[in-house]
Structures are given as structure tokens and as C-alpha cells.
Amino acid sequence: MVAPLSAWPWEHLGIFKYILYGPLAAKAWYSWMYEDNILKDLWCIHILLICTLRGLIHQLWSSYNNMFFLTRNRWIKQQGVDFKQIDDEWDWDNFIILQAMLASMASLIFPSLNTLPLWNLKGFIASLLLHVTISEPLYYWAHRFFHKPYLFNHYHSLHHSSPVPHPFTAGHATPLEHLVLCTVIGIPITGSILMGYGSTAMIYGHVLVFDFFRCLGHSNAEVVPHEVFNKLPLLRYFIYTPTLHHTEMETNFCLFMPLFDALGSTLNTKSLELHKKITSNSGKNGRVPDFVFLAHVVDIMSAMHTPFALRSFASTPFCMRMFLLPFWPLTFIIMLVMWGWSKTFLFSFYNLRGRLHQTWVVPRFGFQYFLPFATKGINKHIEEAILRADRLGVKVISLAALNKNEALNGGGTLFVNKHPELKVRVVHGNTLTAAVILNEFSKDVKEVFLTGATSKLGRATALYLCRKRVRVLMLTSSTERFQKILKETPVDCQNYLVQVTKYQAAQNCKTWIVGKWITPWEQSWAPSGTHFHQFVVPPILPIRRDCTYGDLAAMRLPPDVEGLGSCEYTMERGVVHACHAGGVVHQLEGWSHHEVGAIDVDRIDLVWEAALKHGLKPVSSVNN
């Protein structure tokens, strides 16, 4: 049987729970439009505004926590927040709805709250004194009781189920706990008003500062330098830090002031030592990754698909959402700033079999890779990232799609030739990309149509298929490049490669491999029932309802991956692009060679078998 007040009554509403704000919004709108005395219902606007600001505070703290390039050397726990924790904390803001309802009831029962002055300094002083003398000790003892077996098992264990502290963890608790918090936060506000010192600014200030410190205490990155406590030792009893909050289960029960833990003999002295250790090492490099995937931004809309923008959005495959459109101008400005000043930065990370894997991002957007005057700067960013990885001791660095563009740097060859002493292995991952595409085909395929036929992947695909006695219609206007590939083909297989110059040549071929972006008109030449395999970025538009479209080549990471909490562009959870997976395989196998330049066709099957051996799995690519 479920314990009373252990579940939220609206938990099955999903996103529709925000309809609960509807009466407040409707009342405020009605007063604005139809009533002469708009001040009578101003409390509705205040409650909605406070709720918005509370959500913004939590979001800003979440963004800060997920800016790993800023916080990585001050982490308390080294593992990442995974998809399970994100899902568990999805409705972290339920407490804001609850407190909005309670505030609405108070405003209706006590109309005098609408006549509070805007400012009263005495109210701030009174609320602070009431917080220190009543709220702090009340929360301390309530928290201790919540750690008793019955209350912990039925209520408080939910809050402690999050393995990595995060600002959203502050709201991840049962209704009973948040009712207690309502009392704790409400006593100073109510007391100040009853004393005659209440003000609108005091209510705003008390609630928002309360949330600010709650988020600080649940951050996974230390904020307060230990030097502050060294110079002012008594301050450590009046300001808590993230290390002092969730270090151990049976200590550190205070709200914001460790003084009460000291008085109750529950202050964990190890927390102070850990805090000093973490903040002392903040200027040093953290753990060195074994593998780095060097990615880039695709476009302005997908730039918002980041954990430090919206964690929940980043934990699902990217797709266009209408709520993102108002943020487009801001993202565009950030793009310009990144173009001028930003450096390659740490974006995400996960652990696989004791090895740390990170994703670094070159601060360039997809369209910039096709600007002739921008290529030098992009190559400089890539080169600096490779050299930095080499200095740190990274074993393998894999280049994402445009970072290994043949016209840009010869698929990474430029950097390997320029720096022959590199210890880090540079990998383009295209061998596994080719393997993924080729293993999608059914064995009865006898003919394929290939666009982007003379590209690196196109060449490897054509050479591999012709050896399997599959006829390849290679779309290219360059007879010279076609002949070059033909010379690499065994003599007895050369008749399986056919140069074509028009899409009409494929009007009877139902297997298309798209390596160069094609328009809807060009797709129209495909017969009904065609399947479009593709390795083109961005993917082609799926406009043919009588055909099927493959996703970009990808593989699912092994199930023992830890700390993965964001999706790679449009990929499903736990799925990465094949070039990313190719670097993972290279690192797991311990191969000592660079994988740059042209694809070694003879290694395609070898790399595929190695990927399967290490638990990576192909992803079904057919989307009807």
C-alpha cells in the first residue's frame, strides 16, 4: 500500500500538469481586461512571477552544473547524471505547483496580503531572525526524523535515490517533505507579516534566496573557495556547501547552517576536508580521458540541444520544437560570440569499462565549414584539440563528420603528416561507418545506386560491393575520379562498377546509398519501395511516403556504459554516430595506427567484427 502523501496527485498528467496554473493566469487576465481595480487581483500575477523566477533559478543552476568546461575540476562526484536519474527527476518542479496552490489559498483567505507595501527593511531583518531561530532548527530535526527507518523508506529515500547531486535533485522529493519545506519557508514570511513588517520585496527575496541556497547545496560542483573559511573560520558554521550536504547519509542534516549539525553532533568533519581538497585542486586538470570524440555544432537550432541549455531536451533525440523558436536570436548571437572568441570545450562524458570517454566540441557551426575564409581557423581549432589531447595523454581522438572533411584536412591526414610524433591516435571512424552501411543490406541485393560515389565513403562502399558481385551505379560527372577507383578494383569485378551521370539511370533501382545531399526532385526518380541508405550530413528530407529512409550510420553503445545522459543529435538514447563508435572500438582494441585518409577496404569486416565483440550493436535504420 502506498504511504499517504508519498505520491503527487497530478503525476499522471505529464506536461498537462501546468494546466494547474490556468486558474491563476485566467484570473489575472480577467482582472486586467474587465475589472476597474486591477490591484485587487495583483496577487495572481505575483504568484505566477515568483513561480517563473523559481524555475529560472533552478534552470540557471542546472546550466552551470552542466557546463563541464567550467566545473569539471570542482566535481564532488565524478560520474555523470544518466538517463535514469534524468527521468526520475523529470518532474522536479512539482513543489513549485504545490506552493503556488498554497499561496493562492493564503491570498484568498487573507485579502490583506494584497495591500502589503513594496519595501520594508524591518521585514527582511525579522524574516532572517525567524529563519535562523525557528526554520533552521525545525528543518534540522525534521530532516533527522526523515532518516528514521519508516519515514526514510516511505518518503525520504526518493530524494536520496539520485546518485549524483544536481540542482533539480532539490525538488525531487515526496509531497510530505515539500509540505514540511512549505512550513519551513513560510514561518519567516508569516511571522514578519504578523509583526507588521511584511512587504512584497521581502516575500520575493526570501523565497528566491531560499531556492538559490537549495540549488547551491545540491550542486555537484563546489562554489565556495576554502580560502574563505580559512580567513573566516566561524563562517563555515553559517554557510553550507554542496560537499557539506550529501556526503554521507547519517550526518549533515542542516538546512543552510552547519551550526545546527555542530550543536547536534552530526557535523561530518570529513566533509570539510573533502571541501578543501576539491577547491584546492580546482586549478588542476582532472582525470585524463582515454578517448575523445571531437564534434561540432550542426546548426543554430540543434545548438540548443545541449545539457547546459535544457537537460531534459538534451536527453531525448533532437527534433524541431516550437518552443525553441523564441531562443533563435539569442543562439545566433552566441554563435557569433563563439566564432570570435570561443575555444574547443568539453561538452559531455561517460564511462565505459573503467575508461573515461569525453566529447569535445569545436565552436563552429555546420555552414561555417563551407566558407572558404573559415577553413583555416577551423583546422587550427582541430589541430589544437589534437595537440591538447596528445599532451594530456589521451589514447584516441575521433573526428566527427565535418571535422574530417576531405577538402578540409584530407580526413585528418593533414594533422598526422604535420605532427608525425603524435602519441594520440587520430581516427576518422569511417571504416566502421562503411561497415554499418554495408551490413544494412540484405543478401539478395544485386544493384545499388550510389551518390557521393567518389567521396571517401563512396569509394570504399563501391569497392566493397563490387567484390561481393553487386552492381554499383556510381553517380559522378568526373570520369577521371571514376577511372581512378576502377583501377583499384580487381579485374574480374570491374564490370560491376558503372558510371552514371543522371538520376534517371536509377529509376529501376530500389536501393539508393546517398552520400551527397539530394533534393526532393532528385528523389522523385527513385521507384516506389526504394530504401534510402545515407551517410550525408545533414540527412536528406524524407518526402517520399512510398519509400523508406535510413538514419545516419550509428551503433548502440554497450549496456554497461555509465553516466550517459544526453543524446547525440538525432540518435536514440545510448546510440552514437558510427564515426564516434569507430573511435571507441579503436581505443578498446588498443590499435596503434592512425585511421586517416582513404578507407582501407580490407579492414571493413575486421572493424565490424571488433565492434560486435566489444558489445556495440547495429541500430535498425529503417524509418517508414
Side-chain angles (χ1 to χ4, degrees):
M1 182 177 177
V2 179
L5 296 176
S6 63
W8 294 95
W10 53 78
E11 66 180 12
H12 298 299
L13 292 179
I15 195 172
F16 294 105
K17 69 181 182 181
Y18 296 111
I19 294 176
L20 296 171
Y21 289 115
L24 282 171
K27 183 67 174 174
W29 179 80
Y30 184 84
S31 298
W32 180 274
M33 296 296 295
Y34 298 108
E35 294 185 359
D36 295 332
N37 186 10
I38 188 174
L39 297 178
K40 184 179 71 172
D41 293 318
L42 194 60
W43 59 272
C44 296
I45 297 175
H46 282 310
I47 292 174
L48 289 172
L49 182 56
I50 288 176
C51 289
T52 302
L53 293 174
R54 299 183 79 179
L56 180 61
I57 287 173
H58 282 78
Q59 176 55 49
L60 291 175
W61 269 103
S62 174
S63 295
Y64 170 73
N65 268 252
N66 288 322
M67 290 179 178
F68 301 136
F69 51 91
L70 291 179
T71 64
R72 66 183 183 278
N73 295 328
R74 298 193 304 278
W75 287 337
I76 298 169
K77 294 193 175 182
Q78 296 299 313
Q79 65 264 42
V81 176
D82 59 17
F83 292 118
K84 183 180 184 305
Q85 179 173 339
I86 292 173
D87 289 343
D88 289 343
E89 295 176 349
W90 199 275
D91 293 312
W92 62 270
D93 59 344
N94 278 338
F95 77 97
I96 300 180
I97 298 176
L98 172 66
Q99 294 184 17
M101 291 179 173
L102 295 176
S104 300
M105 291 172 58
S107 298
L108 291 171
I109 296 172
F110 304 104
S112 59
L113 293 175
N114 292 321
T115 60
L116 289 176
L118 178 63
W119 177 269
N120 189 332
L121 181 60
K122 293 181 179 179
F124 284 92
I125 298 172
S127 65
L128 178 60
L129 291 174
L130 289 170
H131 174 83
V132 173
T133 58
I134 299 179
S135 292
E136 283 282 351
L138 175 62
Y139 180 85
Y140 172 80
W141 286 107
H143 195 179
R144 288 194 67 168
F145 277 116
F146 270 114
H147 276 256
K148 299 296 181 183
Y150 178 83
L151 289 176
F152 186 85
N153 292 333
H154 289 85
Y155 297 97
H156 198 47
S157 60
L158 178 68
H159 181 64
H160 283 274
S161 64
S162 298
V164 182
H166 185 274
F168 291 165
T169 308
H172 182 50
T174 57
L176 179 62
E177 292 177 270
H178 279 298
L179 286 172
V180 172
L181 275 173
C182 285
T183 304
V184 170
I185 195 174
I187 287 174
I189 295 174
T190 304
S192 298
I193 293 173
L194 292 176
M195 292 178 189
Y197 301 144
S199 68
T200 302
M202 181 271 294
I203 295 175
Y204 272 81
H206 188 83
V207 172
L208 298 181
V209 170
F210 190 94
D211 278 3
F212 179 88
F213 279 104
R214 286 271 291 167
C215 289
L216 182 150
H218 289 84
S219 172
N220 191 38
E222 268 300 350
V223 179
V224 183
H226 75 279
E227 288 85 358
V228 174
F229 293 149
N230 289 342
K231 294 179 180 178
L232 301 169
L234 290 179
L235 193 62
R236 69 184 61 186
Y237 295 106
F238 295 94
I239 296 179
Y240 85 151
T241 69
T243 314
L244 294 172
H245 185 64
H246 270 188
T247 306
E248 292 190 14
M249 290 286 287
E250 299 304 322
T251 56
N252 300 342
F253 295 109
C254 73
L255 181 56
F256 304 137
M257 299 174 62
L259 171 66
F260 293 94
D261 276 305
L263 295 174
S265 301
T266 55
L267 181 63
N268 189 338
T269 56
K270 294 180 180 178
S271 301
L272 299 174
E273 296 172 5
L274 180 60
H275 172 264
K276 182 177 181 180
K277 179 181 178 182
I278 292 172
T279 55
S280 298
N281 294 332
S282 61
K284 302 177 182 178
N285 287 320
R287 179 183 169 191
V288 175
D290 297 276
F291 164 72
V292 167
F293 178 56
L294 189 61
H296 57 80
V297 190
V298 177
D299 52 39
I300 290 178
M301 295 305 292
S302 67
M304 292 177 256
H305 188 252
T306 63
F308 52 80
L310 292 173
R311 186 183 78 163
S312 57
F313 180 45
S315 71
T316 59
F318 172 76
C319 64
M320 286 293 298
R321 306 282 177 86
M322 293 301 294
F323 72 84
L324 295 176
L325 292 177
F327 299 100
W328 194 96
L330 175 62
T331 309
F332 182 81
I333 293 172
I334 293 173
M335 181 269 293
L336 295 178
V337 173
M338 290 173 63
W339 199 346
W341 291 283
S342 184
K343 297 181 179 180
T344 299
F345 58 92
L346 172 61
F347 176 79
S348 64
F349 70 98
Y350 61 87
N351 288 280
L352 181 62
R353 297 168 192 169
R355 298 175 174 92
L356 177 61
H357 293 194
Q358 292 182 347
T359 294
W360 299 356
V361 173
V362 173
R364 292 296 181 267
F365 288 62
F367 76 92
Q368 294 169 316
Y369 284 77
F370 301 98
L371 301 176
F373 60 85
T375 56
K376 183 177 179 181
I378 292 172
N379 272 333
K380 182 180 179 181
H381 277 292
I382 299 171
E383 182 179 9
E384 288 175 348
I386 292 173
L387 293 177
R388 180 184 167 216
D390 192 59
R391 288 193 303 270
L392 290 175
V394 177
K395 294 180 177 64
V396 175
I397 184 167
S398 180
L399 307 180
L402 296 178
N403 286 333
K404 61 189 175 197
N405 187 284
E406 196 70 26
L408 184 68
N409 52 48
T413 306
L414 172 68
F415 312 114
V416 172
N417 291 340
K418 187 176 180 180
H419 303 282
E421 73 286 354
L422 284 175
K423 294 179 182 178
V424 64
R425 302 296 91 180
V426 181
V427 175
H428 57 44
N430 283 337
T431 308
L432 185 57
T433 301
V436 170
I437 296 169
L438 292 165
N439 280 277
E440 290 177 353
F441 297 145
S442 60
K443 294 182 179 180
D444 59 349
V445 171
K446 298 301 180 184
E447 184 180 69
V448 301
F449 175 62
L450 177 63
T451 74
T454 59
S455 66
K456 184 163 48 197
L457 272 166
R459 164 195 163 274
T461 301
L463 290 174
Y464 185 94
L465 288 175
C466 74
R467 294 180 185 182
K468 300 293 183 181
R469 302 298 192 269
V470 176
R471 189 167 182 260
V472 183
L473 305 178
M474 300 176 63
L475 180 69
T476 176
S477 59
S478 174
T479 302
E480 179 183 354
R481 298 181 72 177
F482 172 76
Q483 288 294 332
K484 186 177 179 180
I485 295 173
L486 191 64
K487 290 178 181 179
E488 296 184 68
T489 309
V491 176
D492 61 334
C493 299
Q494 290 183 353
N495 60 316
Y496 288 96
L497 296 185
V498 180
Q499 181 185 7
V500 297
T501 57
K502 296 181 179 180
Y503 287 88
Q504 292 91 318
Q507 56 188 331
N508 295 317
C509 180
K510 291 189 175 183
T511 302
W512 284 37
I513 306 173
V514 182
K516 181 180 179 181
W517 208 84
I518 57 177
T519 65
W521 179 83
E522 290 165 341
Q523 291 181 42
S524 68
W525 290 102
S528 180
T530 294
H531 178 68
F532 293 93
H533 303 269
Q534 53 184 321
F535 56 90
V536 60
V537 179
I540 62 175
L541 300 174
I543 55 101
R544 292 281 301 271
R545 293 189 176 184
D546 58 339
C547 299
T548 55
Y549 293 78
D551 292 325
L552 296 177
M555 295 202 79
R556 187 175 300 279
L557 292 171
D560 54 341
V561 64
E562 299 174 341
L564 183 62
S566 59
C567 291
E568 196 164 280
Y569 194 36
T570 57
M571 302 298 168
E572 300 173 12
R573 288 181 169 184
V575 175
V576 296
H577 290 90
C579 54
H580 181 153
V584 172
V585 173
H586 205 97
Q587 190 273 320
L588 290 174
E589 281 289 308
W591 287 328
S592 60
H593 65 281
H594 295 291
E595 184 190 317
V596 294
I599 297 172
D600 185 349
V601 180
D602 293 329
R603 291 185 59 85
I604 290 177
D605 289 336
L606 174 66
V607 172
W608 178 251
E609 291 169 2
L612 299 181
K613 180 183 73 174
H614 287 290
L616 285 87
K617 295 182 179 179
V619 180
S620 176
S621 64
V622 178
N623 291 325
N624 293 318

